[in-house]
Amino acid sequence: MLKVAVQTACCAPATLLYPFVKRQRPKGFRGMLKFYPEKCIGCKMCMRDCPSNAINIKKVGEKQFEAEINLGRCIYCAQCVDSCPKKALEATTNFELAQVDKKKLHITFVNPKNEVE
Amino acid sequence: MAQSNSFKIPIGPQHPALKEPESFSVALRGEKILGVDIRLGYNHRGIEKACEERTFLQDVYLIERVCGICSHSHSTCFVQAVEEIANLDVPKRGLYIRTLFAELERVHSHLLWLGVAGHEIGFDTLLMYTWKDREVVMDILAMLSGNRVNYGMNTIGGVRRDISPEQIQEVLKGMDILEEKTKYYIEVASQEATIINRLSGVGVVSKEDAIRLGAVGPTARASGVDRDMRRDDPYAAYPDVQFDVILDDHNDVYGRTVVRLKELMESYKIIRQLLKKIPDGPIAIKAPRKIPAGEAFSRYEAPRGEDVHYVKSNGTEKPERVKVRAPTLANVQVVKHMLKDRYLADMPIVIAAIDPCFSCTDRSIALHRHDSRKRDVVIWETVRLAGIEWYKKNGIDFTALNKRFMARLQK
Amino acid sequence: MAALLNMLVFPGFLFLSVFGMYCSFLERKLYARLQSRIGPPWFQPYADFVKLVAKENIMPEDANPVMFSLMPVFALTAVTTAVLYIPIWGTQALFSFTGDIIVVLYLLTLPTVAFFIGGWYSTSLYARIGAVRTLGQLFAYEVPLFMSVLAPAILAESWSLSGISLYYSQHPWYCLFNAIGFVISLVAMLAKLEKAPFDIPEAETEIGGGCFTEYSGRLLAFFKLALMIEMVVGGALLSSVFLPFGLASGPVVGFILFLVKSVIVVGLFAVAHALLARLRIDQILDFCWKLMIPAALVQVVVNLIIKMVIR
């Protein structure tokens, strides 16, 4: 035990000085969602399958949809990603989502065609 | 204070010794424990009721969050019950991936327990070392599933993600590192005098008492009770792998440490076998949204013991009843017996030795009497007896049902 | 005037506080490095002290306010006074008289009694259990500590710390005869300072703070400072009795060597903390009475025989 302890003392510590040093998240990490409005067909399968009612698909025009995601409710399970038949949802690796203001946790992915109007 | 000989000290609900809130009211005389009163229920969240309001697919994620450490256990147990009701044949590759995650979870849970046990006896260095090694497993799990806990791998009919050959190589490399470290911990546990002194002779439960009180998992196996759901009631890919069930006859906390350490070595063996034999093919079968009516009972060997789920469906999208019996509920009865006539200083390590996960355990029972407007909170045994009586009156005899299970258990 | 300066600044309160907190930092840093962590920065104990002093003082309702508030000051005073009799920069301490080794040992016992009284008069359950454990541990380590520290005194034929240092500076090789005593007194000092593996009076995972459970704010700061100073003073006592090398080579060199020796003793404490689990109180009593006291007796007998041989 003493030998291992001394060896450990001589090597670099295992602690990372987060947030100055950050580790890379693995590729499949389930972080914040990303929505592609141009691919969405409005079937609302993601809304049906979401365990916590975190995503809301809104119709903003003829075959144009927007998604409102409540980051506070989302459990980052990515079931909506699997349920979507058109692959309009994707899980990014962004997990630093903390906010002080709860209203900032509601993210809307606007449809660019809607903005132009 | 000077005159009275005994006094009651509350350990919990908030206490540095407990990782999760439970109330142990300990009657002490000096340093000797006279008796313990256990009250559960501080982590009750109404999960069983919440399951009835959500579809089966949503419930997979809800049940997974019953506990953070044994999340995959609960999720797999639930999904197995649903698949049995719906008569789904999960493809082999899906079963293998499920089992891989089950064993990886066992590794991470046992390493966590080692650290916690070290911390409870004042040996913080063991905590730091084991948790540093646990990071190897956590990184593997994050790479395979996308999250360090609550992996979300299960779906009804199989698993959601596949593993690539590069990932398999990473897992094997991780297993080599961990096997070295576990061998070192086995050496430390068998040679370090202060550890042996603190852990031996503490929390003694004889084999007969373990069977009588219903201990499960490593708590029971350290007293020589030969019970392991992976061998007795095989599920997932366990029929295809070779492993030993670790038994020990120390009957005390030291025995439980030895059982868990050796189970770690067995888990590495199982993981290597799985990765060598994993077949190609689909990982899931499409499951219907409406599960046909029926009920099923599913058992699983979680890192803490036998986890039991009961699911009843009535043909709709949402289950009618989901019941979860976590292993800690069975083991917490043994704590009272273990702490009689021991010292206060043994209290944290004895509670830690059953590897308590009170988040899994808490399902409170409120009895609403028909004749009065009062509500009681009753203890488990009263409810069980009342339940058996009620069913007998309505023509259902449990002993017939029990015989099937009893026969399997007493093999 | 000079005496006041000595009491307050050097080697009194100010020097001891600063050096004591620095030793506490060294111990925590080494402990962390042994566990592959980074550890606190150098100003951590000072920052902790300042923060605690600035916080509110909460007293339990049933506690005896006089005793509760007096004990930290009492403990602090006792350890600060003890240093006046320990030779730090030469073979002569600031004040010395025959029998001052007993006085120093007595002054070092007072903080333990202060912890006990403070914990008892806190009237909280956890504090009382901690206080009783502190006293129980006192029964365990006092006898070996006294015997092993007095054994070199027997060889040196002097009951004054300064006299002992003088004797051993003149005959440096006789220190080797006290090797057993050194080991025993190191272990007993670990128990006195309530450091692992003997830290059951303050076992955080069982009783959440022991005697100090109800203390907060300024009083807790003083208790912790008393513990840190006790570490330095205990180390100084051990190094002056067992390792009096270089004390005769002038004040500056002697002082630097004193600092070095204290740091080495603190390092040994940190290694013991990292490598050993906590022992139960009955195991501590067993260990001390069945193992350490016979060894201390052996040391005393050996010293007596050597004294006769020298004559």
Side-chain angles (χ1 to χ4, degrees):
Chain A
M1 190 80 199
L2 180 60
K3 198 173 71 140
V4 171
V6 171
Q7 276 173 344
T8 323
C10 300
C11 302
T15 322
L16 284 178
L17 282 171
Y18 184 87
F20 307 112
V21 176
K22 290 194 195 177
R23 277 177 77 178
Q24 287 291 355
R25 290 287 97 210
K27 218 164 47 133
F29 190 77
R30 300 194 297 262
M32 192 171 96
L33 289 172
K34 187 167 167 170
F35 177 72
Y36 295 99
E38 58 273 8
K39 296 190 192 165
C40 178
I41 57 169
C43 64
K44 299 197 180 176
M45 290 292 278
C46 53
M47 280 175 69
R48 270 180 86 181
D49 281 341
C50 178
S52 46
N53 290 331
I55 187 167
N56 190 13
I57 302 287
K58 243 179 24 180
K59 186 166 179 173
V60 293
E62 188 60 41
K63 291 212 181 148
Q64 306 302 333
F65 299 94
E66 270 183 3
E68 281 170 3
I69 301 183
N70 185 344
L71 290 176
R73 276 202 187 168
C74 178
I75 60 174
Y76 304 99
C77 63
Q79 175 64 40
C80 48
V81 175
D82 287 347
S83 302
C84 179
K86 296 291 170 188
K87 306 255 180 291
L89 280 165
E90 185 186 73
T92 63
T93 56
N94 183 13
F95 63 95
E96 285 152 329
L97 304 168
Q99 295 287 348
V100 180
D101 186 3
K102 217 168 163 180
K103 295 200 227 8
K104 293 215 181 90
L105 286 176
H106 292 262
I107 307 248
T108 309
F109 287 92
V110 285
N111 198 319
K113 298 215 173 89
N114 189 23
E115 271 187 278
V116 169
E117 282 163 34
Chain B
M1 180 62 218
Q3 306 322 11
S4 74
N5 262 337
S6 73
F7 55 96
K8 266 189 188 248
I9 185 173
I11 306 273
Q14 312 297 337
H15 193 269
L18 304 172
K19 298 285 168 262
E20 293 176 3
E22 286 306 330
S23 170
F24 294 94
S25 187
V26 183
L28 279 181
R29 178 180 295 141
E31 284 267 336
K32 270 217 177 264
I33 297 179
L34 299 174
V36 180
D37 272 327
I38 305 183
R39 285 194 63 176
L40 307 176
Y42 291 89
N43 254 349
H44 180 68
R45 290 157 288 168
I47 288 192
E48 294 179 352
K49 181 68 185 171
C51 282
E52 295 173 18
E53 311 276 321
R54 288 170 170 71
T55 66
F56 280 99
L57 189 55
Q58 290 173 331
D59 277 341
V60 174
Y61 295 101
L62 183 57
I63 290 279
E64 197 181 39
R65 279 149 178 81
V66 164
C67 174
I69 312 175
C70 34
S71 56
H72 186 82
S73 317
H74 286 291
S75 152
T76 308
C77 202
F78 176 73
V79 159
Q80 275 173 188
V82 176
E83 285 165 0
E84 197 177 311
I85 301 178
N87 230 347
L88 292 171
D89 213 358
V90 180
K92 272 280 182 181
R93 194 176 169 94
L95 287 176
Y96 269 69
I97 296 182
R98 249 187 218 170
T99 320
L100 172 70
F101 270 84
E103 288 306 311
L104 281 172
E105 184 180 66
R106 194 180 311 275
V107 168
H108 120 74
S109 172
H110 282 331
L111 280 175
L112 183 144
W113 179 83
L114 254 185
V116 168
H119 179 64
E120 304 288 2
I121 58 176
F123 197 17
D124 278 341
T125 315
L126 191 63
L127 172 75
M128 301 294 167
Y129 286 176
T130 46
W131 282 40
K132 187 169 98 168
D133 297 328
R134 193 172 150 253
E135 290 296 310
V136 174
V137 182
M138 303 304 267
D139 284 342
I140 290 178
L141 284 165
M143 169 188 74
L144 291 179
S145 73
N147 204 358
R148 283 157 62 102
V149 291
N150 294 344
Y151 322 121
M153 282 304 281
N154 277 325
T155 186
I156 303 180
V159 294
R160 283 168 68 198
R161 279 198 194 197
D162 206 349
I163 54 177
S164 68
E166 297 85 34
Q167 289 174 331
I168 294 184
Q169 291 308 313
E170 287 289 326
V171 176
L172 288 172
K173 261 195 281 187
M175 292 301 114
D176 287 333
I177 298 176
L178 284 176
E179 201 167 13
E180 275 294 315
K181 290 297 178 113
T182 312
K183 286 202 188 118
Y184 169 68
Y185 292 132
I186 295 182
E187 205 185 289
V188 164
S190 52
Q191 289 175 353
E192 189 71 31
T194 43
I195 294 184
I196 298 178
N197 270 332
R198 270 318 280 277
L199 298 181
S200 300
V202 172
V204 175
V205 183
S206 67
K207 185 166 172 180
E208 295 76 30
D209 283 330
I211 299 181
R212 179 176 61 91
L213 293 165
V216 291
T219 314
R221 288 200 281 275
S223 301
V225 177
D226 194 3
R227 215 174 267 183
D228 188 333
M229 285 306 123
R230 297 177 287 172
R231 183 201 55 198
D232 299 336
D233 192 4
Y235 51 91
Y238 285 109
D240 295 343
V241 291
Q242 265 283 40
F243 65 97
D244 298 317
V245 172
I246 308 287
L247 286 178
D248 197 71
D249 55 0
H250 279 109
N251 291 359
D252 58 13
V253 174
Y254 184 69
R256 289 172 203 132
T257 317
V258 168
V259 165
R260 286 190 174 99
L261 280 169
K262 291 197 180 152
E263 275 187 7
L264 275 174
M265 302 298 287
E266 290 300 311
S267 287
Y268 304 141
K269 216 164 77 176
I270 297 178
I271 292 176
R272 288 207 177 96
Q273 287 178 42
L274 284 171
L275 290 175
K276 208 159 52 170
K277 291 175 160 177
I278 186 166
D280 294 318
I283 51 174
I285 185 176
K286 183 115 177 65
R289 275 195 185 269
K290 288 203 165 87
I291 304 286
E295 55 184 7
F297 198 83
S298 160
R299 295 192 294 174
Y300 180 103
E301 181 75 14
R304 284 161 182 74
E306 178 190 346
D307 185 19
V308 165
H309 282 226
Y310 166 78
V311 178
K312 180 157 179 217
S313 147
N314 53 9
T316 59
E317 268 189 341
K318 305 186 177 176
E320 182 169 321
R321 176 81 171 102
V322 174
K323 172 91 186 92
V324 175
R325 202 285 323 249
T328 309
L329 184 59
N331 281 337
V332 88
Q333 322 279 349
V334 196
V335 170
K336 270 177 101 145
H337 176 86
M338 282 198 249
L339 280 175
K340 259 198 206 325
D341 293 333
R342 294 299 315 174
Y343 296 104
L344 179 64
D346 295 329
M347 176 109 204
I349 186 64
V350 164
I351 298 180
I354 63 168
D355 207 355
C357 183
F358 295 115
S359 302
C360 294
T361 310
D362 286 332
R363 320 262 160 255
S364 80
I365 304 283
L367 197 62
H368 190 189
R369 294 192 201 279
H370 283 290
D371 47 345
S372 79
R373 301 192 122 257
K374 281 201 303 174
R375 273 184 191 270
D376 290 342
V377 178
V378 294
I379 57 173
W380 211 241
E381 268 146 29
T382 322
V383 175
R384 186 170 161 267
L385 289 170
I388 293 180
E389 278 311 303
W390 188 86
Y391 275 96
K392 274 217 180 107
K393 261 193 278 186
N394 283 317
I396 301 174
D397 195 8
F398 265 134
T399 46
L401 202 62
N402 267 341
K403 271 207 199 107
R404 229 171 52 222
F405 298 137
M406 297 312 284
R408 271 205 231 169
L409 283 176
Q410 270 155 8
K411 229 192 302 183
Chain C
M1 186 59 214
L4 198 63
L5 217 61
N6 274 325
M7 282 292 301
L8 288 180
V9 178
F10 184 84
F13 184 63
L14 202 62
F15 161 69
L16 277 181
S17 314
V18 170
F19 186 53
M21 293 204 243
Y22 188 71
C23 280
S24 170
F25 151 70
L26 284 176
E27 200 232 340
R28 283 165 73 170
K29 190 81 172 177
L30 183 60
Y31 181 58
R33 278 298 159 115
L34 285 170
Q35 294 177 341
S36 155
R37 296 183 289 131
I38 294 186
W42 63 268
F43 49 82
Q44 184 71 39
Y46 304 104
D48 282 342
F49 184 73
V50 168
K51 175 204 81 163
L52 275 177
V53 166
K55 294 232 179 213
E56 179 192 353
N57 215 354
I58 303 179
M59 208 178 306
E61 225 175 16
D62 295 330
N64 185 335
V66 172
M67 292 299 230
F68 193 81
S69 321
L70 199 61
M71 284 305 118
V73 180
F74 190 50
L76 202 55
T77 324
V79 281
T80 320
T81 321
V83 81
L84 297 175
Y85 303 107
I86 302 184
I88 296 185
W89 59 73
T91 51
Q92 281 300 108
L94 210 52
F95 302 104
S96 71
F97 55 89
T98 315
D100 67 15
I101 190 172
I102 310 282
V103 173
V104 167
L105 282 171
Y106 170 69
L107 281 173
L108 281 182
T109 312
L110 283 183
T112 317
V113 177
F115 297 157
F116 166 71
I117 297 182
W120 187 261
Y121 279 103
S122 302
T123 66
S124 111
L125 274 175
Y126 297 123
R128 287 211 158 160
I129 295 185
V132 168
R133 280 183 180 175
T134 312
L135 217 54
Q137 199 163 291
L138 187 74
F139 290 141
Y141 67 76
E142 275 297 278
V143 179
L145 181 66
F146 272 56
M147 283 210 286
S148 56
V149 169
L150 294 177
I154 295 179
L155 194 55
E157 288 182 26
S158 157
W159 290 107
S160 140
L161 273 172
S162 312
I164 296 176
S165 315
L166 196 64
Y167 181 83
Y168 280 111
S169 328
Q170 289 164 347
H171 313 100
W173 294 112
Y174 289 178
C175 296
L176 293 175
F177 295 135
N178 299 326
I180 308 176
F182 185 44
V183 172
I184 296 176
S185 61
L186 268 180
V187 176
M189 189 54 73
L190 263 181
K192 177 186 271 302
L193 297 169
E194 292 177 11
K195 286 192 177 306
F198 305 110
D199 60 348
I200 199 158
E202 207 190 319
E204 167 210 68
T205 52
E206 297 163 25
I207 48 182
C211 338
F212 306 143
T213 315
E214 302 296 333
Y215 277 91
S216 54
R218 227 177 351 171
L219 300 176
L220 185 62
F222 289 161
F223 258 148
K224 287 208 181 288
L225 188 61
L227 266 176
M228 292 193 243
I229 296 182
E230 200 182 351
M231 182 162 69
V232 173
V233 171
L237 174 69
L238 291 186
S239 56
S240 72
V241 173
F242 292 104
L243 307 168
F245 311 120
L247 275 180
S249 18
V252 177
V253 178
F255 182 61
I256 294 181
L257 276 175
F258 158 72
L259 293 179
V260 167
K261 283 182 247 175
S262 299
V263 167
I264 293 179
V265 167
V266 162
L268 287 173
F269 288 165
V271 171
H273 191 184
L275 293 185
L276 298 168
R278 189 181 299 143
L279 292 174
R280 265 202 322 259
I281 190 81
D282 58 312
Q283 290 168 339
I284 296 178
L285 284 164
D286 265 352
F287 177 67
C288 287
W289 281 88
K290 292 188 188 162
L291 200 64
M292 294 231 286
I293 289 185
L297 273 174
V298 163
Q299 169 73 72
V300 168
V301 165
V302 160
N303 273 9
L304 280 171
I305 295 177
I306 292 175
K307 198 166 81 160
M308 280 198 291
V309 164
I310 294 175
R311 271 212 206 129

